[in-house]
């Protein structure tokens, strides 16, 4: 029996901007053809109207290498 190995690739992003701009950016990521697994999100405000986001997400693949980077 052939068993296929599944690999999880984790990516941590940190970015800042206006809340609505960040919301639109994250919605565009959700709309991508390939799916992301949202592992963790932290949102903090350091100076109005700027918010800082830490986003940890991952993808699943049958390839061990990080694809497309």
């Amino acid at each position: 029996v052939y068993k296929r190995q599944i690999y999880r690739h984790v990516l941590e992003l940190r970015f800042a901007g206006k809340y609505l701009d960040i919301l639109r950016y994250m919605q565009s990521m959700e709309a991508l053809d390939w799916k992301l697994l949202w592992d963790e999100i932290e949102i903090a405000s350091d100076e109005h109207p700027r918010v800082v986001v830490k986003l940890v997400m991952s993808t699943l693949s049958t390839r061990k290498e990080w694809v497309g980077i």
Side-chain angles (χ1 to χ4, degrees):
V1 175
Y2 177 74
K3 292 186 180 181
R4 195 163 232 189
Q5 184 86 18
I6 301 293
Y7 297 95
R8 182 175 174 210
H9 302 286
V10 179
L11 177 65
E12 181 177 314
L13 298 174
R14 292 177 188 262
F15 48 94
K18 293 181 180 177
Y19 176 79
L20 290 178
D21 293 334
I22 289 173
L23 177 62
R24 281 190 287 274
Y25 174 69
M26 293 179 69
Q27 287 171 332
S28 69
M29 286 195 300
E30 275 192 322
L32 293 171
D33 288 338
W34 43 278
K35 298 302 175 199
L36 301 169
L37 303 171
W38 302 83
D39 298 324
E40 178 185 339
I41 186 168
E42 292 179 17
I43 302 173
S45 179
D46 62 351
E47 182 180 317
H48 182 76
R50 179 181 134 117
V51 292
V52 178
V53 176
K54 173 188 164 191
L55 176 62
V56 180
M57 61 184 147
S58 57
T59 61
L60 299 177
S61 173
T62 56
R63 296 178 60 179
K64 188 174 184 175
E65 304 82 25
W66 182 251
V67 225
I69 300 288

